[in-house]
Amino acid sequence: SKALKLSYENGRKNHTSTLFILISPKGIEYKVFGELEKFCKNNDISYATMYAAIMYNRQGPRKNGWSIRRG
């Protein structure tokens, strides 16, 4: 918890970091701070699809079953 808080604080200081909340097709919520592309790559999710959903405020699950929103 202390390490997580430190990581969160360090990420907040980085101007490129944004909190994204992704929900898997199974309903599991993941909080990703500033590393959306890396998270997508590690979980075999299309980064372009998730990024477009954020940029164009597309609500609801994508065709792949994942949902995303800014935190």
Side-chain angles (χ1 to χ4, degrees), residues 17-33:
S17 293
T18 301
L19 175 63
F20 298 101
I21 300 171
L22 288 95
I23 303 169
S24 75
K26 294 182 180 181
I28 301 169
E29 189 174 282
Y30 297 90
K31 293 183 180 179
V32 179
F33 199 83

Side-chain angles (χ1 to χ4, degrees), residues 2 6-7 9 13 16 21-22 28 30 37-40 43-44 49 54 59-60 65 68:
K2 187 175 181 178
L6 180 59
S7 174
E9 289 300 318
K13 292 177 185 175
T16 62
I21 300 171
L22 288 95
I28 301 169
Y30 297 90
E37 189 170 8
K38 181 178 178 181
F39 179 85
C40 289
N43 291 282
D44 197 30
T49 298
I54 286 294
Q59 300 298 313
I68 186 170

